[in-house]
Amino acid sequence: MTICSVKQLIRLVLFSVLFFPVVAFAQGEEENNSGPGTTLAAVEESASASSASSQPLPKAESINLGEVIPELQPPKVVAASSEESSASSSSELTASSSARASSLPAAPAPATSVSSSSVASASREQTVTVSSVADEITSADGEPASSADTPQANPEENVTEEEPVILSKFILGVEVPPNTSSRLVWMPEEQLSGFAEQTPVLIVNGANPGKTLCLTAAVHGDELNGIEMIRRVMYNLEPDKLTGTVIGIPVVNLMGFRRNSRYLPDRRDLNRYFPGNTKGSSASRIAHSFFSQVIRHCDALVDIHTGSFHRTNLTQLRADLSDEKVAALAQNFGTIAVLNSRGNYGSLRAAAVRFGVPSVTMEAGEPMRMQSEVVSEGVKAIQVMMTKTGMYGKASKWYKPAPVYYKSTWVRANQSGILFSQAPLGKRVMPGEVLGTVTDPITNARSEIVSPYRGRILGMALDQVVLPGFAAYHIGIQTPEAILIEEGQMEDEDGDDAGIEPVAEDLQGSETTKPQDSLEDE
């Protein structure tokens, strides 16, 4: 080899050593300047693709799913991609960003795949079907469904609330819708040659379904206090606060009421003919019509009466306490006294009890008078009963149970003359205590009427002219409840006033009567 060739070889080596690093450096600079820019562009394109692919999700937000389940909000993909791109190298960033760009449209799918159980746990008051929404948002190939394929959801349709069934009340052939008050008319089927009259029937049907309570008064046409009691109770009821239905018949015996008489025009006592007979007397036919058209629609009955024949009664209940349903009803009237009695067999309450309707009689005051204080006591007792049974209002105070009298007796006068009472109605008396006197206006002879028992005056005669044997004072006697089963089966012969009286041998020398001597009242 010559010296020239050696020199050329040396120059070639030196040229390659000095020139190639510069070229490599220049190429590296070009790659560094162009590579990150391309990667960020790819990230931006993937972010825009992500936002474009998540457009169907506002459909889910329109169903308020975002409020019920926060997990259904779409993830912020762009922020996560930028953090990962800054942490990776330039070569890794290019590969990972291209992979994410292809998988971004399927990212919302896991957020929508929520079961109905998770929805129920998030909101117990709403029932939302999420599985169908997830199926519509994500198609079978993993691509989001279009907005045209996604049905518009109505929040009211997806929320199911089971509402109570409220039915109208049908009585006397008329429909009474819930949350309304009505005034209907009852009239016997038999026209009785034009004597039958249209009897008003007041009905308040509550907004909430429940039992039906019947209030009746003036079965005896001269008993006025019950008429005013029913008027006050019925017209003070607000249907939207009432649970159940209240039926009020202020005047049952309208023909007797117009004549200011206890009886029907044929001199029959309507309260001795229930449940009535379609082929019997006029009283029996009227009783049958009223019982079948009104009372059979009731779940409980309160029949309101007063004393009879110039007598007055302490506000009290008469109830057959041997019947469990009747006893449960009677204990809800507050502080008024309760007298155990089955009542006359043909009375309205006795017939209703036999039919299966728990019934009580409220005795209050005297006939042929309107007594405001007595009316107020009766109205209060009925309102307490409705509160305790859950029909109307909320009680702030539960009243102490009233005393129950399982026995009663009438103390009678042995002399004719003018009766002057000394003991007031409702007074608790002791044996030997003077209740009143009877004075002969001609001879001026006077005799005293004394109480043979410890008890309470439940009823008494008004001051008047009396004959020997006249029933003057009705004494209620408290006895152990164990006697109820045996004595509750005994019948009153003519009415409730006699109650269950002591046997004759226990009353020697006194002015009380035997069990068979009883007085009409109810």
Side-chain angles (χ1 to χ4, degrees):
M1 180 180 294
T2 62
I3 296 175
C4 291
S5 60
V6 172
K7 289 182 180 181
Q8 291 177 356
L9 181 60
I10 293 173
R11 289 176 183 176
L12 182 59
V13 171
L14 292 176
F15 178 81
S16 61
V17 171
L18 296 176
F19 182 77
F20 282 102
V22 175
V23 175
F25 177 78
Q27 292 178 352
E29 288 293 330
E30 184 178 358
E31 291 177 0
N32 291 334
N33 293 331
S34 61
T38 304
T39 305
L40 290 177
V43 173
E44 292 176 356
E45 292 177 0
S46 64
S48 62
S50 172
S51 61
S53 64
S54 59
Q55 287 180 358
L57 282 179
K59 296 291 183 179
E61 292 179 358
S62 65
I63 318 174
N64 294 329
L65 289 178
E67 298 179 2
V68 179
I69 308 176
E71 292 81 3
L72 290 180
Q73 299 292 344
K76 297 180 180 180
V77 183
V78 177
S81 300
S82 60
E83 292 178 359
E84 293 179 3
S85 63
S86 61
S88 304
S89 61
S90 59
S91 60
E92 294 175 351
L93 177 60
T94 304
S96 61
S97 60
S98 61
R100 288 190 181 90
S102 62
S103 61
L104 279 176
T112 57
S113 58
V114 181
S115 63
S116 59
S117 60
S118 62
V119 178
S121 63
S123 176
R124 295 181 179 177
E125 299 178 357
Q126 297 181 346
T127 304
V128 184
T129 306
V130 184
S131 58
S132 60
V133 177
D135 294 339
E136 294 173 356
I137 292 178
T138 305
S139 60
D141 56 356
E143 293 297 329
S146 62
S147 59
D149 297 333
T150 304
Q152 297 291 337
N154 188 356
E156 297 180 357
E157 295 178 356
N158 291 333
V159 178
T160 58
E161 296 181 358
E162 185 176 352
E163 297 181 356
V165 178
I166 301 177
L167 300 177
S168 298
K169 186 71 178 180
F170 291 88
I171 183 172
L172 298 174
V174 179
E175 177 184 2
V176 182
N179 198 22
T180 60
S181 301
S182 301
R183 184 169 65 237
L184 307 181
V185 171
W186 161 72
M187 191 171 183
E189 292 89 345
E190 300 290 339
Q191 296 300 318
L192 301 176
S193 301
F195 284 101
E197 300 188 43
Q198 294 183 346
T199 302
V201 177
L202 308 178
I203 300 179
V204 180
N205 194 11
N208 303 309
K211 301 293 185 179
T212 298
L213 170 67
C214 282
L215 306 175
T216 57
V219 175
H220 297 131
D222 61 347
E223 298 177 351
L224 308 182
N225 286 332
I227 300 174
E228 177 63 9
M229 288 182 195
I230 293 179
R231 185 195 69 82
R232 293 187 188 182
V233 170
M234 297 300 295
Y235 282 97
N236 285 329
L237 290 176
E238 298 180 24
D240 58 336
K241 299 179 181 179
L242 176 64
T243 298
T245 306
V246 181
I247 301 176
I249 304 91
V251 185
V252 176
N253 184 2
L254 191 58
M255 289 182 285
F257 171 76
R258 295 191 184 281
R259 297 168 51 250
N260 199 23
S261 170
R262 175 184 178 91
Y263 303 110
L264 292 170
D266 61 355
R267 293 292 300 170
R268 284 188 170 91
D269 188 338
L270 179 60
N271 208 34
R272 298 295 179 266
Y273 289 89
F274 288 102
N277 190 331
T278 57
K279 297 182 180 180
S281 63
S282 59
S284 183
R285 298 183 185 202
I286 293 173
H288 177 270
S289 175
F290 182 75
F291 195 87
S292 60
Q293 293 190 49
V294 179
I295 301 302
R296 287 177 179 267
H297 295 274
C298 303
D299 297 306
L301 169 66
V302 180
D303 187 26
I304 307 174
H305 288 259
T306 71
S308 62
F309 305 117
H310 305 289
R311 292 177 174 83
T312 184
N313 283 328
L314 180 71
T315 303
Q316 62 192 264
L317 293 181
R318 307 282 175 85
D320 181 6
L321 300 181
S322 63
D323 188 295
E324 294 182 359
K325 294 182 179 180
V326 175
L329 175 63
Q331 68 182 1
N332 294 319
F333 286 79
T335 58
I336 64 174
V338 179
L339 177 60
N340 176 45
S341 173
R342 297 186 68 176
N344 185 279
Y345 185 83
S347 65
L348 177 57
R349 76 170 172 99
V353 171
R354 293 195 303 272
F355 182 71
V357 179
S359 306
V360 297
T361 294
M362 178 181 290
E363 293 281 348
E366 59 187 89
M368 303 181 69
R369 285 189 60 192
M370 191 71 69
Q371 301 168 283
S372 296
E373 293 183 1
V374 174
V375 169
S376 298
E377 291 176 353
V379 170
K380 182 179 179 180
I382 295 174
Q383 290 174 341
V384 170
M385 180 271 295
M386 295 180 63
T387 299
K388 284 191 173 184
T389 55
M391 293 190 67
Y392 194 81
K394 296 181 179 179
S396 58
K397 175 181 178 182
W398 295 116
Y399 295 91
K400 182 180 178 181
V404 179
Y405 300 93
Y406 295 108
K407 284 186 177 182
S408 67
T409 184
W410 276 94
V411 182
R412 299 177 181 262
N414 281 335
Q415 173 185 328
S416 61
I418 301 176
L419 172 66
F420 296 96
S421 292
Q422 297 182 10
L425 183 67
K427 187 177 187 300
R428 290 175 171 82
V429 296
M430 301 297 293
E433 184 173 348
V434 177
L435 304 177
T437 62
V438 177
T439 303
D440 189 327
I442 305 300
T443 64
N444 200 31
R446 190 181 70 168
S447 64
E448 294 181 340
I449 302 177
V450 299
S451 173
Y453 289 106
R454 176 181 179 178
R456 189 180 185 185
I457 301 178
L458 301 180
M460 60 185 294
L462 304 177
D463 290 350
Q464 56 189 289
V465 176
V466 300
L467 296 175
F470 182 83
Y473 302 95
H474 190 193
I475 308 297
I477 305 170
Q478 285 182 292
T479 57
E481 294 184 3
I483 306 176
L484 171 64
I485 303 299
E486 178 181 356
E487 296 184 345
Q489 305 301 323
M490 297 178 62
E491 295 270 346
D492 291 346
E493 210 169 293
D494 295 319
D496 277 356
D497 266 32
I500 299 169
E501 299 180 336
V503 294
E505 53 267 24
D506 293 336
L507 304 176
Q508 294 180 359
S510 70
E511 298 177 346
T512 53
T513 61
K514 297 181 181 181
Q516 62 268 23
D517 297 330
S518 56
L519 181 70
E520 288 187 352
D521 188 13
E522 179 186 337

